Amino acid sequence: MNKALLIIINIITGLVVTVLTIFAYGISGMAEGPQPASSMYWLLLLVVWFIGLLMQFKQSTRVIGLVITFLPIIYFFSLFIVEFYNF
């Protein structure tokens, strides 16, 4: 894979995951009731993205790192589809 394309993919996915994680972390505390730990689970998606990014630095784990990098984005888009399109 082209190195420039890999850098562009990582920048775009990093920005999307960071913005959506901060947004989800911010709105998760708006519910009524004491659930302070549930908002911290959103930060795990940022950690998963970062692990995928680190795996891409080694040639032997580059492909699995790219797949792991896309997992949080797939999760956010699946939440969006389920929430707003009510199949």
Side-chain angles (χ1 to χ4, degrees):
M1 180 177 275
N2 189 1
K3 205 170 229 182
L5 180 65
L6 193 62
I7 291 171
I8 291 170
I9 288 172
N10 285 325
I11 289 173
I12 292 172
T13 59
L15 287 174
V16 169
V17 169
T18 302
V19 168
L20 290 176
T21 301
I22 291 171
F23 178 71
Y25 180 72
I27 66 170
S28 65
M30 292 182 184
E32 296 179 13
Q35 293 181 350
S38 66
S39 61
M40 291 297 213
Y41 295 131
W42 290 106
L43 296 177
L44 287 175
L45 293 171
L46 192 61
V47 172
V48 168
W49 176 83
F50 189 70
I51 289 171
L53 178 70
L54 290 178
M55 289 179 75
Q56 290 179 30
F57 289 123
K58 192 172 180 184
Q59 184 68 29
S60 62
T61 60
R62 183 167 288 168
V63 175
I64 191 69
L66 192 62
V67 171
I68 290 174
T69 302
F70 276 103
L71 286 178
I73 291 181
I74 293 169
Y75 179 74
F76 279 124
F77 285 143
S78 67
L79 279 180
F80 175 77
I81 289 171
V82 168
E83 238 355 91
F84 294 110
Y85 289 110
N86 294 332
F87 289 115

Coordinates of all heavy atoms in Angstrom, one line a residue:
M1 N 0.8 -1.2 0.0 CA 0.0 0.0 0.0 C 0.9 1.2 0.0 O 1.9 1.3 0.6 CB -0.9 0.0 1.2 CG -1.8 1.2 1.3 SD -3.0 1.1 2.7 CE -4.3 0.1 1.9
N2 N 0.5 2.2 -0.7 CA 1.2 3.5 -0.8 C 1.3 4.1 0.6 O 0.3 4.2 1.3 CB 0.5 4.4 -1.8 CG 1.3 5.6 -2.1 OD1 2.4 5.8 -1.6 ND2 0.7 6.4 -3.0
K3 N 2.5 4.6 0.9 CA 2.7 5.2 2.3 C 1.9 6.5 2.5 O 1.3 6.7 3.5 CB 4.2 5.5 2.5 CG 4.6 5.5 3.9 CD 6.1 5.5 4.0 CE 6.4 4.5 5.0 NZ 7.8 4.4 5.3
A4 N 1.8 7.3 1.4 CA 1.0 8.5 1.5 C -0.5 8.2 1.7 O -1.2 8.9 2.5 CB 1.2 9.4 0.3
L5 N -1.0 7.2 1.0 CA -2.4 6.8 1.2 C -2.7 6.3 2.6 O -3.7 6.6 3.2 CB -2.8 5.8 0.2 CG -4.2 5.3 0.2 CD1 -5.2 6.4 -0.1 CD2 -4.4 4.1 -0.7
L6 N -1.7 5.6 3.2 CA -1.9 5.1 4.5 C -1.9 6.2 5.5 O -2.7 6.2 6.5 CB -0.7 4.1 4.8 CG -0.8 3.3 6.1 CD1 -2.0 2.4 6.0 CD2 0.4 2.5 6.2
I7 N -1.1 7.3 5.3 CA -1.1 8.4 6.2 C -2.4 9.2 6.1 O -2.9 9.6 7.1 CB 0.2 9.3 5.9 CG1 1.5 8.6 6.3 CG2 0.1 10.7 6.6 CD1 2.7 9.3 5.8
I8 N -2.9 9.4 4.9 CA -4.2 10.1 4.7 C -5.3 9.3 5.4 O -6.2 9.9 6.0 CB -4.4 10.3 3.2 CG1 -3.4 11.3 2.7 CG2 -5.9 10.7 3.0 CD1 -3.5 11.4 1.2
I9 N -5.3 8.0 5.2 CA -6.4 7.2 5.9 C -6.3 7.3 7.4 O -7.3 7.4 8.0 CB -6.2 5.7 5.4 CG1 -6.7 5.5 4.0 CG2 -7.0 4.8 6.3 CD1 -6.4 4.2 3.4
N10 N -5.1 7.3 7.9 CA -4.9 7.4 9.4 C -5.4 8.7 9.9 O -5.9 8.8 11.0 CB -3.5 7.0 9.8 CG -3.2 5.6 9.7 OD1 -4.1 4.8 10.0 ND2 -2.0 5.2 9.4
I11 N -5.1 9.8 9.2 CA -5.5 11.1 9.6 C -7.0 11.3 9.6 O -7.6 11.8 10.5 CB -4.8 12.2 8.7 CG1 -3.3 12.3 9.0 CG2 -5.4 13.6 8.9 CD1 -2.5 13.1 8.1
I12 N -7.6 10.8 8.5 CA -9.1 10.9 8.4 C -9.8 10.1 9.4 O -10.7 10.6 10.1 CB -9.5 10.6 7.0 CG1 -9.0 11.6 6.0 CG2 -11.0 10.4 6.9 CD1 -9.3 11.3 4.5
T13 N -9.4 8.8 9.6 CA -10.0 8.0 10.6 C -9.7 8.5 12.0 O -10.6 8.4 12.8 CB -9.6 6.5 10.4 OG1 -8.1 6.4 10.6 CG2 -10.0 5.9 9.1
G14 N -8.5 9.0 12.2 CA -8.2 9.6 13.5 C -9.1 10.8 13.9 O -9.6 10.9 15.0
L15 N -9.3 11.7 12.9 CA -10.1 12.8 13.2 C -11.6 12.4 13.4 O -12.2 12.9 14.3 CB -10.1 13.8 12.0 CG -8.8 14.6 11.9 CD1 -8.7 15.4 10.6 CD2 -8.5 15.5 13.1
V16 N -12.1 11.5 12.6 CA -13.5 11.1 12.7 C -13.7 10.4 14.1 O -14.6 10.7 14.8 CB -13.9 10.1 11.6 CG1 -15.2 9.5 11.8 CG2 -13.9 10.9 10.3
V17 N -12.8 9.5 14.4 CA -12.9 8.7 15.7 C -12.8 9.7 16.9 O -13.5 9.6 17.9 CB -11.9 7.6 15.8 CG1 -11.9 7.0 17.2 CG2 -12.3 6.5 14.8
T18 N -11.9 10.6 16.8 CA -11.7 11.5 18.0 C -12.9 12.4 18.1 O -13.4 12.6 19.3 CB -10.4 12.4 17.7 OG1 -9.3 11.5 17.6 CG2 -10.2 13.3 18.9
V19 N -13.4 13.0 17.1 CA -14.6 13.9 17.2 C -15.8 13.1 17.6 O -16.5 13.6 18.6 CB -14.8 14.6 15.8 CG1 -16.2 15.2 15.8 CG2 -13.7 15.6 15.5
L20 N -16.1 12.0 17.1 CA -17.2 11.2 17.5 C -17.1 10.7 18.9 O -18.1 10.6 19.6 CB -17.5 10.0 16.5 CG -18.0 10.5 15.1 CD1 -18.1 9.3 14.2 CD2 -19.3 11.2 15.2
T21 N -15.9 10.3 19.3 CA -15.7 9.9 20.7 C -15.9 11.0 21.7 O -16.6 10.8 22.7 CB -14.3 9.3 20.9 OG1 -14.1 8.2 20.0 CG2 -14.0 8.8 22.3
I22 N -15.4 12.2 21.4 CA -15.6 13.3 22.3 C -17.1 13.7 22.3 O -17.7 14.0 23.4 CB -14.8 14.5 21.9 CG1 -13.3 14.2 22.1 CG2 -15.2 15.8 22.6 CD1 -12.3 15.2 21.5
F23 N -17.8 13.6 21.2 CA -19.2 13.9 21.2 C -20.0 12.9 22.0 O -20.9 13.2 22.8 CB -19.7 13.9 19.7 CG -21.2 14.1 19.5 CD1 -21.7 15.4 19.8 CD2 -22.0 13.1 19.2 CE1 -23.1 15.6 19.7 CE2 -23.3 13.3 19.0 CZ -23.9 14.6 19.3
A24 N -19.7 11.6 21.8 CA -20.4 10.5 22.5 C -20.1 10.6 24.0 O -21.0 10.4 24.8 CB -20.0 9.2 22.0
Y25 N -18.9 10.9 24.3 CA -18.5 11.1 25.8 C -19.3 12.2 26.4 O -19.7 12.2 27.5 CB -17.0 11.3 25.9 CG -16.5 11.4 27.3 CD1 -16.5 10.3 28.1 CD2 -16.1 12.7 27.7 CE1 -16.0 10.5 29.4 CE2 -15.6 12.8 29.0 CZ -15.6 11.7 29.9 OH -15.2 11.9 31.2
G26 N -19.4 13.3 25.6 CA -20.1 14.5 26.1 C -21.6 14.2 26.3 O -22.2 14.7 27.3
I27 N -22.3 13.5 25.4 CA -23.7 13.4 25.5 C -24.1 12.2 26.4 O -25.3 12.0 26.7 CB -24.4 13.3 24.2 CG1 -24.0 12.0 23.4 CG2 -24.2 14.5 23.4 CD1 -24.8 11.8 22.2
S28 N -23.1 11.3 26.7 CA -23.5 10.1 27.5 C -23.8 10.4 28.9 O -24.5 9.7 29.6 CB -22.4 9.1 27.4 OG -21.2 9.6 28.1
G29 N -23.4 11.6 29.4 CA -23.7 11.9 30.8 C -25.0 12.7 31.0 O -25.3 13.1 32.1
M30 N -25.7 12.9 29.9 CA -27.0 13.7 29.9 C -28.2 12.9 30.4 O -29.2 13.5 30.7 CB -27.3 14.3 28.6 CG -26.3 15.3 28.1 SD -26.9 15.9 26.5 CE -25.6 17.0 26.1
A31 N -28.1 11.6 30.5 CA -29.2 10.8 31.0 C -29.5 11.0 32.4 O -28.6 11.3 33.2 CB -28.9 9.3 30.6
E32 N -30.7 10.7 32.8 CA -31.0 10.8 34.2 C -30.6 9.5 34.9 O -30.8 8.4 34.4 CB -32.5 11.0 34.4 CG -33.0 12.3 33.8 CD -34.5 12.4 34.0 OE1 -35.1 11.6 34.7 OE2 -35.1 13.3 33.3
G33 N -30.0 9.6 36.1 CA -29.6 8.5 36.8 C -28.1 8.4 37.0 O -27.4 9.0 36.2
P34 N -27.6 7.8 38.0 CA -26.2 7.7 38.2 C -25.5 6.6 37.4 O -25.5 5.5 37.8 CB -26.1 7.4 39.7 CG -27.4 6.6 40.0 CD -28.4 7.1 39.0
Q35 N -24.9 7.0 36.3 CA -24.1 6.0 35.5 C -22.8 6.7 35.1 O -22.6 6.9 33.9 CB -24.9 5.6 34.3 CG -26.1 4.7 34.6 CD -26.8 4.3 33.4 OE1 -26.6 4.7 32.3 NE2 -27.8 3.4 33.6
P36 N -22.0 7.0 36.0 CA -20.8 7.7 35.6 C -19.7 6.9 34.9 O -19.0 7.4 34.1 CB -20.2 8.2 37.0 CG -20.7 7.2 37.9 CD -22.0 6.8 37.4
A37 N -19.7 5.6 35.1 CA -18.7 4.7 34.4 C -19.1 4.5 33.0 O -18.2 4.2 32.2 CB -18.6 3.4 35.2
S38 N -20.4 4.6 32.6 CA -20.7 4.2 31.2 C -20.2 5.2 30.2 O -19.9 4.9 29.1 CB -22.3 4.2 31.1 OG -22.8 5.5 31.3
S39 N -19.9 6.5 30.6 CA -19.4 7.4 29.7 C -17.9 7.2 29.4 O -17.4 7.5 28.3 CB -19.5 8.8 30.2 OG -18.8 9.0 31.5
M40 N -17.2 6.5 30.3 CA -15.8 6.2 30.0 C -15.6 5.1 29.0 O -14.6 5.0 28.4 CB -15.1 5.7 31.3 CG -15.0 6.8 32.3 SD -14.0 8.1 31.6 CE -13.2 8.7 33.0
Y41 N -16.7 4.3 28.7 CA -16.6 3.2 27.7 C -16.4 3.8 26.3 O -15.8 3.1 25.5 CB -17.8 2.3 27.8 CG -17.9 1.5 29.1 CD1 -19.1 1.5 29.8 CD2 -16.8 0.9 29.6 CE1 -19.2 0.8 31.0 CE2 -16.9 0.2 30.8 CZ -18.1 0.1 31.5 OH -18.1 -0.6 32.6
W42 N -16.8 5.0 26.1 CA -16.6 5.6 24.8 C -15.2 5.8 24.5 O -14.8 5.8 23.3 CB -17.4 6.9 24.7 CG -18.9 6.7 24.6 CD1 -19.8 6.9 25.6 CD2 -19.7 6.1 23.6 NE1 -21.0 6.6 25.2 CE2 -21.0 6.1 24.0 CE3 -19.4 5.7 22.3 CZ2 -22.0 5.6 23.2 CZ3 -20.4 5.2 21.5 CH2 -21.7 5.2 21.9
L43 N -14.4 6.1 25.5 CA -13.0 6.3 25.3 C -12.2 5.1 24.9 O -11.1 5.2 24.3 CB -12.3 6.9 26.6 CG -12.9 8.3 27.0 CD1 -12.2 8.7 28.3 CD2 -12.6 9.3 25.9
L44 N -12.8 3.9 25.1 CA -12.2 2.7 24.6 C -12.1 2.6 23.1 O -11.2 2.0 22.5 CB -13.0 1.4 25.1 CG -12.8 1.1 26.6 CD1 -13.7 0.0 27.0 CD2 -11.4 0.8 26.9
L45 N -13.0 3.2 22.4 CA -13.0 3.3 20.9 C -11.8 4.0 20.5 O -11.1 3.7 19.5 CB -14.3 3.9 20.4 CG -15.5 3.0 20.6 CD1 -16.8 3.8 20.2 CD2 -15.4 1.7 19.8
L46 N -11.4 5.1 21.2 CA -10.2 5.8 20.8 C -9.0 5.0 21.1 O -8.0 5.0 20.3 CB -10.2 7.1 21.6 CG -9.2 8.2 21.2 CD1 -9.4 8.6 19.7 CD2 -9.2 9.4 22.1
V47 N -9.0 4.2 22.1 CA -7.9 3.3 22.5 C -7.7 2.2 21.4 O -6.6 1.9 21.0 CB -8.0 2.7 23.9 CG1 -7.0 1.7 24.1 CG2 -8.0 3.8 24.9
V48 N -8.9 1.7 20.9 CA -8.8 0.7 19.9 C -8.2 1.2 18.6 O -7.4 0.6 17.9 CB -10.2 0.1 19.6 CG1 -10.3 -0.7 18.4 CG2 -10.7 -0.7 20.8
W49 N -8.6 2.5 18.2 CA -8.1 3.1 17.1 C -6.6 3.3 17.2 O -5.8 3.1 16.3 CB -8.8 4.4 16.8 CG -8.2 5.2 15.6 CD1 -8.4 5.0 14.3 CD2 -7.1 6.1 15.7 NE1 -7.7 5.8 13.6 CE2 -6.8 6.5 14.4 CE3 -6.4 6.7 16.7 CZ2 -5.9 7.5 14.1 CZ3 -5.4 7.7 16.4 CH2 -5.2 8.0 15.1
F50 N -6.1 3.7 18.4 CA -4.7 4.0 18.6 C -3.9 2.7 18.5 O -2.8 2.7 18.0 CB -4.5 4.7 20.0 CG -3.1 5.1 20.2 CD1 -2.6 6.2 19.5 CD2 -2.3 4.5 21.1 CE1 -1.3 6.6 19.7 CE2 -1.0 4.9 21.3 CZ -0.5 6.0 20.6
I51 N -4.5 1.6 19.0 CA -3.8 0.3 18.9 C -3.6 -0.1 17.5 O -2.6 -0.6 17.1 CB -4.5 -0.8 19.8 CG1 -4.4 -0.5 21.3 CG2 -4.1 -2.2 19.4 CD1 -5.2 -1.4 22.1
G52 N -4.7 0.1 16.7 CA -4.6 -0.2 15.3 C -3.5 0.6 14.6 O -2.8 0.2 13.7
L53 N -3.4 1.9 15.0 CA -2.4 2.8 14.4 C -1.0 2.3 14.8 O -0.1 2.3 13.9 CB -2.6 4.2 14.9 CG -1.6 5.3 14.5 CD1 -1.8 5.5 13.0 CD2 -1.7 6.5 15.3
L54 N -0.8 1.9 16.0 CA 0.5 1.4 16.4 C 0.9 0.1 15.7 O 2.0 -0.1 15.3 CB 0.6 1.2 17.9 CG 0.5 2.4 18.8 CD1 0.5 2.0 20.2 CD2 1.7 3.3 18.4
M55 N -0.1 -0.7 15.4 CA 0.2 -2.0 14.7 C 0.6 -1.8 13.2 O 1.2 -2.6 12.6 CB -1.1 -2.9 14.8 CG -1.3 -3.5 16.1 SD -2.7 -4.5 16.2 CE -2.1 -6.0 15.4
Q56 N 0.2 -0.6 12.7 CA 0.5 -0.4 11.3 C 2.0 0.0 11.1 O 2.5 0.0 10.0 CB -0.3 0.8 10.8 CG -1.8 0.4 10.6 CD -2.6 1.5 10.1 OE1 -2.1 2.4 9.4 NE2 -3.9 1.5 10.5
F57 N 2.7 0.3 12.1 CA 4.1 0.6 12.0 C 5.0 -0.6 11.7 O 6.1 -0.4 11.1 CB 4.6 1.3 13.3 CG 4.1 2.7 13.4 CD1 3.4 3.1 14.6 CD2 4.3 3.7 12.4 CE1 2.9 4.4 14.7 CE2 3.8 5.0 12.6 CZ 3.1 5.3 13.7
K58 N 4.5 -1.7 12.1 CA 5.3 -2.9 11.8 C 4.8 -3.6 10.5 O 3.5 -3.7 10.4 CB 5.2 -3.9 13.0 CG 6.1 -5.0 13.0 CD 6.1 -5.8 14.2 CE 7.1 -7.0 14.2 NZ 7.0 -7.8 15.3
Q59 N 5.6 -4.0 9.6 CA 5.2 -4.5 8.3 C 4.4 -5.7 8.5 O 3.4 -5.9 7.7 CB 6.5 -4.8 7.5 CG 6.2 -5.2 6.1 CD 5.5 -4.1 5.2 OE1 5.8 -2.9 5.5 NE2 4.7 -4.5 4.3
S60 N 4.7 -6.6 9.4 CA 4.0 -7.9 9.5 C 2.6 -7.7 10.1 O 1.7 -8.6 9.8 CB 4.8 -8.9 10.4 OG 4.9 -8.4 11.7
T61 N 2.3 -6.7 10.8 CA 0.9 -6.5 11.4 C 0.2 -5.3 10.7 O -0.8 -4.8 11.3 CB 1.0 -6.3 12.9 OG1 1.8 -5.1 13.1 CG2 1.6 -7.5 13.6
R62 N 0.7 -4.8 9.6 CA 0.1 -3.6 9.0 C -1.4 -3.8 8.5 O -2.2 -3.0 8.8 CB 0.9 -3.2 7.8 CG 0.4 -1.9 7.2 CD 1.4 -1.3 6.2 NE 2.5 -0.8 7.0 CZ 3.6 -0.4 6.5 NH1 3.8 -0.5 5.2 NH2 4.6 0.1 7.3
V63 N -1.7 -5.0 7.9 CA -3.0 -5.2 7.4 C -4.0 -5.3 8.6 O -5.1 -4.7 8.6 CB -3.1 -6.5 6.5 CG1 -4.5 -6.8 6.1 CG2 -2.2 -6.2 5.3
I64 N -3.7 -6.1 9.6 CA -4.6 -6.2 10.8 C -4.7 -4.9 11.5 O -5.8 -4.6 12.0 CB -4.2 -7.4 11.7 CG1 -5.3 -7.7 12.7 CG2 -2.9 -7.1 12.4 CD1 -6.5 -8.3 12.1
G65 N -3.7 -4.1 11.5 CA -3.7 -2.8 12.1 C -4.7 -1.9 11.4 O -5.4 -1.1 12.0
L66 N -4.7 -2.0 10.1 CA -5.6 -1.2 9.3 C -7.0 -1.6 9.5 O -7.9 -0.7 9.6 CB -5.3 -1.3 7.8 CG -5.9 -0.4 6.8 CD1 -5.5 1.1 7.1 CD2 -5.6 -0.7 5.4
V67 N -7.3 -2.9 9.7 CA -8.6 -3.4 10.0 C -9.1 -2.9 11.4 O -10.2 -2.4 11.5 CB -8.7 -4.9 9.9 CG1 -10.0 -5.5 10.4 CG2 -8.4 -5.4 8.5
I68 N -8.2 -3.0 12.3 CA -8.5 -2.5 13.7 C -8.7 -1.0 13.7 O -9.6 -0.6 14.5 CB -7.4 -3.0 14.7 CG1 -7.4 -4.5 14.8 CG2 -7.5 -2.3 16.0 CD1 -6.3 -5.0 15.7
T69 N -8.0 -0.3 12.9 CA -8.3 1.2 12.8 C -9.7 1.5 12.3 O -10.3 2.5 12.8 CB -7.2 1.8 11.9 OG1 -5.9 1.5 12.4 CG2 -7.4 3.3 11.8
F70 N -10.2 0.7 11.5 CA -11.6 1.0 11.0 C -12.7 0.4 11.9 O -13.8 0.8 11.6 CB -11.7 0.4 9.6 CG -11.2 1.2 8.5 CD1 -10.0 1.0 7.9 CD2 -11.9 2.4 8.1 CE1 -9.5 1.8 6.9 CE2 -11.4 3.2 7.1 CZ -10.2 2.9 6.5
L71 N -12.4 -0.4 12.9 CA -13.4 -0.9 13.7 C -14.3 0.2 14.4 O -15.5 0.1 14.5 CB -12.9 -1.9 14.7 CG -12.5 -3.3 14.2 CD1 -11.8 -4.1 15.2 CD2 -13.6 -4.0 13.5
P72 N -13.6 1.2 15.1 CA -14.5 2.2 15.7 C -15.4 3.0 14.7 O -16.5 3.3 15.1 CB -13.4 3.2 16.3 CG -12.2 2.4 16.5 CD -12.2 1.4 15.4
I73 N -14.9 3.2 13.5 CA -15.7 3.9 12.5 C -16.9 3.0 12.1 O -18.0 3.5 12.0 CB -14.8 4.3 11.3 CG1 -13.9 5.4 11.7 CG2 -15.7 4.8 10.1 CD1 -13.0 5.9 10.7
I74 N -16.7 1.8 11.9 CA -17.8 0.9 11.6 C -18.8 0.8 12.7 O -20.0 0.8 12.5 CB -17.2 -0.5 11.3 CG1 -16.4 -0.5 10.0 CG2 -18.3 -1.6 11.2 CD1 -15.6 -1.8 9.7
Y75 N -18.3 0.9 14.0 CA -19.2 0.9 15.1 C -20.0 2.1 15.2 O -21.2 2.1 15.3 CB -18.4 0.7 16.4 CG -19.2 0.7 17.6 CD1 -20.0 -0.3 18.0 CD2 -19.2 1.9 18.5 CE1 -20.8 -0.3 19.1 CE2 -20.0 1.9 19.6 CZ -20.8 0.8 19.9 OH -21.6 0.8 21.0
F76 N -19.4 3.3 15.0 CA -20.1 4.6 15.0 C -21.2 4.6 13.8 O -22.3 5.1 14.1 CB -19.2 5.7 14.9 CG -18.6 6.1 16.2 CD1 -17.2 6.2 16.3 CD2 -19.3 6.4 17.3 CE1 -16.6 6.6 17.5 CE2 -18.8 6.8 18.5 CZ -17.4 6.9 18.6
F77 N -20.8 4.2 12.6 CA -21.7 4.2 11.5 C -22.9 3.2 11.7 O -24.0 3.5 11.4 CB -21.0 4.0 10.2 CG -20.3 5.2 9.7 CD1 -19.1 5.0 9.1 CD2 -20.7 6.4 9.9 CE1 -18.3 6.1 8.6 CE2 -20.0 7.5 9.5 CZ -18.8 7.4 8.8
S78 N -22.6 2.1 12.3 CA -23.7 1.1 12.6 C -24.6 1.7 13.7 O -25.8 1.5 13.6 CB -23.1 -0.2 13.1 OG -22.5 -0.1 14.3
L79 N -24.1 2.4 14.7 CA -25.0 3.1 15.6 C -25.9 4.1 14.9 O -27.0 4.2 15.2 CB -24.2 3.7 16.7 CG -23.7 2.9 17.9 CD1 -22.9 3.7 18.8 CD2 -24.8 2.2 18.6
F80 N -25.3 4.9 14.0 CA -26.0 5.9 13.3 C -27.1 5.3 12.5 O -28.3 5.8 12.5 CB -25.1 6.7 12.4 CG -25.8 7.7 11.6 CD1 -26.2 8.9 12.1 CD2 -26.0 7.5 10.2 CE1 -26.8 9.9 11.3 CE2 -26.6 8.4 9.4 CZ -27.0 9.6 10.0
I81 N -26.8 4.2 11.8 CA -27.8 3.6 10.9 C -29.0 3.0 11.8 O -30.1 3.2 11.4 CB -27.2 2.5 10.1 CG1 -26.3 3.2 9.0 CG2 -28.2 1.6 9.4 CD1 -25.4 2.2 8.2
V82 N -28.6 2.3 12.9 CA -29.7 1.7 13.7 C -30.5 2.8 14.4 O -31.8 2.7 14.5 CB -29.0 0.8 14.7 CG1 -30.0 0.4 15.8 CG2 -28.5 -0.4 14.1
E83 N -29.9 3.9 14.8 CA -30.6 4.9 15.5 C -31.6 5.7 14.6 O -32.7 6.1 15.0 CB -29.6 5.9 16.1 CG -29.5 6.2 17.6 CD -30.5 5.6 18.5 OE1 -30.3 4.6 19.1 OE2 -31.5 6.3 18.8
F84 N -31.1 6.1 13.4 CA -31.8 7.0 12.6 C -32.6 6.4 11.5 O -33.4 7.1 10.9 CB -30.9 8.1 12.1 CG -30.3 9.0 13.2 CD1 -29.0 8.9 13.5 CD2 -31.1 9.8 13.9 CE1 -28.4 9.6 14.5 CE2 -30.6 10.6 14.9 CZ -29.3 10.5 15.2
Y85 N -32.4 5.2 11.1 CA -33.1 4.6 10.0 C -34.0 3.5 10.5 O -34.7 2.9 9.6 CB -32.1 4.1 9.0 CG -31.5 5.2 8.2 CD1 -30.1 5.5 8.4 CD2 -32.2 6.0 7.4 CE1 -29.6 6.6 7.7 CE2 -31.7 7.1 6.7 CZ -30.3 7.3 6.9 OH -29.8 8.4 6.2
N86 N -34.1 3.1 11.7 CA -35.1 2.2 12.3 C -35.5 1.1 11.3 O -36.7 1.1 10.9 CB -36.3 2.9 12.8 CG -35.9 3.8 14.0 OD1 -35.0 3.5 14.7 ND2 -36.6 4.9 14.2
F87 N -34.7 0.2 11.0 CA -35.1 -0.9 10.1 C -36.1 -1.7 10.7 O -36.2 -2.3 11.6 CB -33.9 -1.8 9.7 CG -32.9 -1.0 8.9 CD1 -31.6 -0.7 9.3 CD2 -33.3 -0.6 7.6 CE1 -30.8 0.0 8.5 CE2 -32.4 0.1 6.8 CZ -31.2 0.4 7.2

